[in-house]
Amino acid sequence: MKRSFLLPLLLLAAVCGVARAEKADSTKPTNIEADQMVYDDVRQVKTFTGNVVLTRGTLLIKAGRVVLTTDQYGYEYAVLYAAQGSLASFRQKRDGGPDLWIEGQAERIEYSEQTEISKLFQRAHIQRMDGKRVTDEVNGEFISYDSRAEFYSVNNTSSGESKPGAGRITAVIQPKTPPAQPPQQTAPAQPGKGQ
């Protein structure tokens, strides 16, 4: 069964471990608001422009333009473009806890439903959150995430390769909170000893 388009944008869920997009989102309808829609039925291309807001369950996407292409097998390829002076962004709840989220933004975000690979280009940023607390984040000019292999890479150029002198990537990985330990019990005093 195919995954929903854009769910693996929730990608870099692997910034420091595996995080899955909320499974229930794949059964929800997709709602899209925009200033304009152009649908080319022959080429199977849907283009939404102007303050595009896409919601599907807990998934929220905002972009200046979104282009959805469906191939002959029914797989979708999505490209999100930022509005001038802004960034395209997504936010989605992750499975694994009551208030776990992943957020990302870039000038352009591409996702292939068939390969389940997401690519974020230029000023790319991903962060995982527990409520409002950022737990992990990564920045670079290019971020690629393969959700099948749970593998990601961050590079300092938008071509997808790192080059000396082209800039630096950054990652902030917060310490994990160790599991709560049960309180230690002290042995009761033995009567008659030392008296």
Side-chain angles (χ1 to χ4, degrees), residues 33-100:
E33 295 178 24
D35 294 339
Q36 180 183 16
M37 175 188 168
V38 176
Y39 179 46
D40 182 338
D41 195 27
V42 173
R43 292 179 40 228
Q44 288 295 295
V45 178
K46 298 174 251 352
T47 304
F48 301 89
T49 55
N51 282 330
V52 182
V53 178
L54 181 149
T55 57
R56 182 178 201 166
T58 66
L59 174 63
L60 172 64
I61 291 174
K62 294 182 179 181
R65 181 168 53 120
V66 175
V67 179
L68 301 175
T69 305
T70 306
D71 72 14
Q72 63 184 357
Y73 304 106
Y75 291 106
E76 288 197 326
Y77 183 78
V79 182
L80 287 64
Y81 297 94
Q84 180 122 9
S86 186
L87 295 173
S89 67
F90 67 88
R91 174 180 167 87
Q92 186 172 33
K93 188 173 184 315
R94 298 181 290 133
D95 281 335
D99 202 15
L100 300 177

Side-chain angles (χ1 to χ4, degrees), residues 6-12 61 80 90 109-111 118 126:
L6 300 179
L7 279 180
L9 274 178
L10 313 136
L11 53 104
L12 295 161
I61 291 174
L80 287 64
F90 67 88
I109 301 172
E110 298 178 1
Y111 172 67
S118 301
I126 296 287

